[in-house]
Amino acid sequence: MNVVFHLQVLFVLTPFAACQEHKVPASNPEISAQIDYKLEKSMVTTISCLSPKGSLPINYTLYRDTTLVNTLVAESRPRAEFVVNLSFSELLETLKCKADNGFGPKYSRGLIIDLSVNLTSKPDPPILGQQLALSCGVTFNTQQYEWYFVYPTKNTTNITGQNQYIIESTNVGIYYCSVYGYVSNGIEVLVQDSSFQPVVVGVSVGAILLLILIIGLICYCCATKDLNRITRLC
């Protein structure tokens, strides 16, 4: 009877033990931020915490410096999204995620939401009349980028949902991008300097004349030698 009982207990506990053995510890979470919209004195922001590896459920905790902001439990998917209202001073504080599914806490890198905007171009520097790829860089995700093109005779503005903008043929002017009112550095397309062109033409003409003169001298010398030989033979 005892043998049968032990066998039944072993039969029940074996699947449970197997499930426990296959549980995977949560990996260090990845943290990212998306600014949803701007208020007068703050930003409504979605902070995403994601452990690429780890068995569910995972308990996520969001910190701002050492202050606990909120805690969420991810049960059906490995991502937790915290919607927080951060003042402009709080945006300068370090955000960090903690993930724990029973194997000990794992922490993300620190994230500071820098509102500065950096504009880069390819090629750098841009070439007048050629294609130009502009990239508007920020430390957070956003759904709206504003592009400003300041030309000598007119100004134009465009709004896109992508952080890249392709100009097929550049004109003389200065290019900017802006995110939530924060304007980037400017990239300027200059007029090609034509002052050197007369110099280049002059140098080219001089070189051609010099080459003609050298060839003429060589031909003259050869002709003189041949004439001297003929004179001696006569």
Side-chain angles (χ1 to χ4, degrees):
M1 184 69 179
N2 290 334
V3 174
V4 174
F5 175 76
H6 286 302
L7 288 175
Q8 290 176 340
V9 171
L10 182 63
F11 179 78
V12 172
L13 292 180
T14 298
F16 176 77
C19 291
Q20 289 293 102
E21 291 176 359
H22 285 87
K23 192 171 183 181
V24 178
S27 60
N28 291 85
E30 300 171 355
I31 184 171
S32 60
Q34 174 174 309
I35 294 181
D36 299 316
Y37 51 92
K38 178 183 177 183
L39 301 177
E40 184 179 355
K41 297 182 179 180
S42 62
M43 294 281 195
V44 177
T45 309
T46 299
I47 308 299
S48 175
C49 300
L50 169 65
S51 289
K53 297 180 181 179
S55 300
L56 299 176
I58 300 176
N59 295 320
Y60 287 104
T61 305
L62 178 64
Y63 293 93
R64 192 184 71 249
D65 282 345
T66 57
T67 303
L68 190 152
V69 178
N70 201 355
T71 299
L72 294 175
V73 180
E75 297 181 347
S76 59
R77 60 174 186 165
R79 182 189 302 272
E81 294 182 342
F82 299 87
V83 179
V84 291
N85 190 3
L86 299 174
S87 66
F88 293 112
S89 60
E90 290 172 341
L91 289 172
L92 300 176
E93 298 178 358
T94 302
L95 299 169
K96 188 173 289 188
C97 293
K98 181 181 77 173
D100 192 350
N101 64 347
F103 290 89
K106 296 292 182 65
Y107 293 89
S108 70
R109 64 179 177 88
L111 174 65
I112 296 177
I113 303 178
D114 185 0
L115 294 177
S116 62
V117 184
N118 183 42
L119 182 63
T120 57
S121 69
K122 188 176 181 180
D124 184 18
I127 302 173
L128 180 65
Q130 295 191 10
Q131 186 185 78
L132 180 66
L134 298 173
S135 296
C136 192
V138 290
T139 61
F140 51 88
N141 299 321
T142 182
Q143 303 298 321
Q144 182 171 302
Y145 296 85
E146 296 184 37
W147 305 88
Y148 300 95
F149 311 106
V150 182
Y151 300 117
T153 57
K154 65 176 181 178
N155 299 334
T156 61
T157 305
N158 200 356
I159 298 176
T160 68
Q162 302 294 327
N163 69 330
Q164 290 190 337
Y165 197 94
I166 303 297
I167 300 172
E168 293 300 330
S169 179
T170 57
N171 293 316
V172 175
I174 306 177
Y175 300 87
Y176 300 92
C177 70
S178 173
V179 179
Y180 291 108
Y182 292 87
V183 182
S184 72
N185 54 297
I187 291 181
E188 186 173 6
V189 180
L190 299 172
V191 178
Q192 186 175 1
D193 188 7
S194 59
S195 61
F196 70 95
Q197 291 179 356
V199 178
V200 173
V201 173
V203 171
S204 301
V205 171
I208 293 172
L209 292 176
L210 180 61
L211 180 60
I212 293 173
L213 179 61
I214 293 173
I215 294 174
L217 288 173
I218 294 173
C219 294
Y220 174 77
C221 292
C222 293
T224 302
K225 289 181 180 179
D226 292 340
L227 181 61
N228 290 335
R229 289 178 183 176
I230 293 172
T231 303
R232 290 176 184 176
L233 290 175
C234 294

